[in-house]
């Protein structure tokens, strides 16, 4: 077990480069099952969530190893082993495996997925969509037994524009004979990235990034070398931290249009934003201004994965802000830890009222989920005095050595082993 020691109060200044996107890499790893040839994914981050996905791939008989920062995967022989809860319990994205295995092997056996405790996150849309492709699915004591022997393309109309369900159905349709159509598809950049990857292997996916996605199945997909997109949530986290500490920085390896919803809200807090081709500059020399109302929603609206980080930023704002969480019913758990640092946050159901205070104070706090942990780091960097952030294993699920990134910006942050009794 490890902890982060943070001496706050120093404005973050300088330059930092954003890692490759975890939320793009995970479904792309699953999509490697669609080919029996080698795939190389360039510049992949070393993250706990990616390690968990690779454990599942190896359990299925795939070769999956890092060579430097490049991830090499070869699934020339798939074993239809039951993917048990020891593997799926670590990772929500394990559900992506189902569509890919069914597309190639027509059968799959997978336990219900796990992940951060931020809400129910039901998989009913995944199951309904696959059943729409004539997959027979039975729940046998928590194991989803999927029979795709009669799979055929269809038009699937999603009740909600779910990212995961859209990605699962894209993979499921990739090797079917005919056209699969997803109506009310999610439009996130990660959807586009998965489509580009499948097409780089010789697939035919059209309309990704729009509300209707069409997948024309092909008999065979080949290997390729592919570089996934930059991490828009990681970029937003760095920008929010610079704003919270009153600093000035340039964040590199960004697709600016991916984070438009984030940068527009930062402007409303008083930060000055400058946009380059693949970078964003930020200058925030004054105390943040409150936001009258900040609501999360599906892309291109403000992302739920940035809600905790903005709450940490607004904790020191001049005035009161209201944050409405529209996607997850239990995503404000981290606020009790922020209140230990002197924040004044009141939560009722899916609404948080954040009354800005002039100063946060260092404290011992514990991360209980990935993005909530990032919020605690931001608060600690902006607080007076020393903070200790426990539960670093949650943060490591999505940020590669977060202390190195913030140290590059002048933050006084270091990682130390946590004493055990």
């Amino acid at each position: 077990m490890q902890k982060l020691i943070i001496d706050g109060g120093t404005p973050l200044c300088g330059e930092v480069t954003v890692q490759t996107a975890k939320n793009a890499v995970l479904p792309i790893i699953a999509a490697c099952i669609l080919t029996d040839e080698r795939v190389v994914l360039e510049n992949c981050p070393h993250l706990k969530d990616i390690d968990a996905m690779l454990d599942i791939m190896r359990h299925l008989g795939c070769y999956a190893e890092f060579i430097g920062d490049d991830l090499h995967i070869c699934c020339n022989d798939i074993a239809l082993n039951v993917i048990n809860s020891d593997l799926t319990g670590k990772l929500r994205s394990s559900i992506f495996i189902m569509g890919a295995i069914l597309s190639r092997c027509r059968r799959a056996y997978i336990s219900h997925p796990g992940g951060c405790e931020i809400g129910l996150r039901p998989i009913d849309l995944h199951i309904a969509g696959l059943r729409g492709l004539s997959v027979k699915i039975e729940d046998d004591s928590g194991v989803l037994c999927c029979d795709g022997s009669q799979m055929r393309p269809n038009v699937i109309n999603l009740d909600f524009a779910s990212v995961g369900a859209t990605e699962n159905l894209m993979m499921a349709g990739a090797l079917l004979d005919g056209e699969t159509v997803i109506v009310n598809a999610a439009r996130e950049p990660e959807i586009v990235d998965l489509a580009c990857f499948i097409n780089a292997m010789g697939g035919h996916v059209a309309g990704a990034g729009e509300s209707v996605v069409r997948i024309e199945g092909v008999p065979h997909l080949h290997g390729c070398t592919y570089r996934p997109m930059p991490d828009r949530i990681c970029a937003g986290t760095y920008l929010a931290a610079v704003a919270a500490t009153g600093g000035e920085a340039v964040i590199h390896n960004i697709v600016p249009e991916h984070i438009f919803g984030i940068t527009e809200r930062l402007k409303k807090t008083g930060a000055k934003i400058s946009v380059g081709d693949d970078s964003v500059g930020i200058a925030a020399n004054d105390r943040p201004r409150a936001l009258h109302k900040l609501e999360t929603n599906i892309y291109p609206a403000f992302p739920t994965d940035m809600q905790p980080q903005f709450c940490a930023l607004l904790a020191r704002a001049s005035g009161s802000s209201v944050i409405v969480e529209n996607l997850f019913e239990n995503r404000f758990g981290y606020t009790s830890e922020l209140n230990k640092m002197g924040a004044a946050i009141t939560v009722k159901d899916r609404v948080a009222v954040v009354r800005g205070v002039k100063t946060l104070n260092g404290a011992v706090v514990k991360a209980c989920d990935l993005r909530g942990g990032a919020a605690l780091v931001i608060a600690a960097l902006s607080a007076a005095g020393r903070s200790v952030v426990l539960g670093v294993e949650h943060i490591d699920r999505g940020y590669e050595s977060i202390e190195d990134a913030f140290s590059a910006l002048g933050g006084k942050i270091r990682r130390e082993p946590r004493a055990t009794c």
Side-chain angles (χ1 to χ4, degrees):
M1 302 294 285
Q2 297 178 321
K3 59 186 177 183
L4 294 173
I5 311 296
I6 302 171
D7 292 307
T10 301
L12 296 179
C13 297
E15 301 182 16
V16 72
T17 299
V18 170
Q19 68 192 39
T20 299
K22 171 188 83 99
N23 289 338
V25 171
L26 290 172
I28 286 174
I29 290 174
C32 292
I33 290 172
L34 297 170
T35 178
D36 59 2
E37 299 179 16
R38 180 175 291 248
V39 171
V40 179
L41 303 179
E42 295 180 325
N43 197 34
C44 283
H46 298 260
L47 302 170
K48 285 189 176 296
D49 271 12
I50 289 178
D51 289 340
M53 182 63 90
L54 296 183
D55 285 343
I56 293 173
M57 298 291 283
R58 296 182 188 110
H59 179 74
L60 293 169
C62 301
Y63 168 83
E65 298 294 339
F66 274 99
I67 300 177
D69 289 330
D70 294 341
L71 182 54
H72 292 243
I73 299 174
C74 186
C75 302
N76 58 356
D77 188 20
I78 299 293
L80 287 175
N81 296 321
V82 176
I83 306 172
N84 60 41
S85 58
D86 289 343
L87 293 167
T88 63
K90 299 176 183 177
L91 184 66
R92 169 71 180 176
S93 299
S94 57
I95 194 68
F96 297 135
I97 292 285
M98 194 155 61
I101 298 175
L102 283 166
S103 189
R104 178 169 167 185
C105 304
R106 297 299 193 261
R107 289 189 181 273
Y109 307 93
I110 181 168
S111 297
H112 283 268
C116 279
E117 297 298 326
I118 59 174
L120 294 175
R121 304 208 285 187
I123 60 172
D124 57 309
L125 291 174
H126 298 254
I127 293 172
L130 291 171
R131 283 177 172 159
L133 299 180
S134 299
V135 179
K136 296 178 182 178
I137 302 176
E138 295 182 2
D139 191 330
D140 183 5
S141 302
V143 176
L144 298 170
C145 301
C146 307
D147 177 0
S149 57
Q150 303 299 316
M151 279 180 77
R152 61 178 182 269
N154 201 355
V155 177
I156 307 298
N157 196 330
L158 293 176
D159 291 338
F160 174 78
S162 162
V163 175
T166 300
E167 291 170 332
N168 223 340
L169 291 168
M170 286 167 62
M171 288 183 265
L175 297 175
L176 296 183
D177 183 14
E179 185 182 65
T180 298
V181 181
I182 307 170
V183 180
N184 194 30
R187 298 164 55 192
E188 273 75 0
E190 292 81 5
I191 299 288
V192 178
D193 210 36
L194 176 61
C196 290
F197 173 69
I198 293 173
N199 290 345
M201 294 193 295
H204 295 157
V205 182
E210 301 173 4
S211 60
V212 177
V213 177
R214 300 178 181 275
I215 307 99
E216 183 67 38
V218 296
H220 179 264
L221 293 172
H222 56 72
C224 69
T225 297
Y226 188 80
R227 178 172 290 237
M229 60 177 270
D231 196 317
R232 61 193 175 100
I233 303 302
C234 185
T237 299
Y238 296 159
L239 290 166
V242 174
T245 61
E248 187 171 345
V250 178
I251 316 299
H252 296 284
N253 193 33
I254 290 178
V255 181
E257 54 265 35
H258 288 178
I259 62 169
F260 182 78
I262 298 169
T263 52
E264 287 302 295
R265 270 69 173 194
L266 286 169
K267 289 178 184 178
K268 292 181 179 179
T269 70
K272 295 179 176 60
I273 300 293
S274 57
V275 177
D277 291 338
D278 60 355
S279 65
V280 171
I282 180 170
N285 305 121
D286 300 320
R287 184 180 173 191
R289 293 197 296 262
L291 296 180
H292 173 66
K293 191 176 185 181
L294 179 67
E295 288 199 63
T296 67
N297 218 316
I298 56 176
Y299 188 86
F302 186 81
T304 181
D305 276 357
M306 279 301 302
Q307 178 254 99
Q309 299 91 311
F310 260 67
C311 189
L313 165 64
L314 296 172
R316 286 192 56 252
S318 55
S320 294
S321 305
V322 175
I323 301 176
V324 180
E325 173 55 57
N326 287 311
L327 299 180
F328 294 114
E329 70 278 3
N330 189 30
R331 193 149 208 177
F332 286 118
Y334 65 90
T335 58
S336 59
E337 299 298 294
L338 289 180
N339 285 343
K340 291 179 183 178
M341 305 176 73
I345 305 168
T346 304
V347 175
K348 183 173 177 56
D349 299 326
R350 297 193 188 199
V351 178
V353 177
V354 186
R355 296 175 178 85
V357 298
K358 244 185 179 180
T359 305
L360 295 175
N361 299 304
V364 178
V365 292
K366 184 177 182 180
C368 293
D369 66 80
L370 169 55
R371 305 304 176 185
L376 297 180
V377 173
I378 290 173
L381 288 164
S382 68
R386 173 167 292 186
S387 295
V388 179
V389 179
L390 308 177
V392 180
E393 66 273 11
H394 294 287
I395 300 171
D396 289 342
R397 288 184 47 232
Y399 298 89
E400 185 176 24
S401 302
I402 195 170
E403 70 276 13
D404 290 345
F406 284 128
S407 292
L409 293 172
K412 298 177 181 177
I413 174 174
R414 67 181 187 276
R415 182 183 295 245
E416 288 187 358
R418 181 179 172 186
T420 56
C421 298

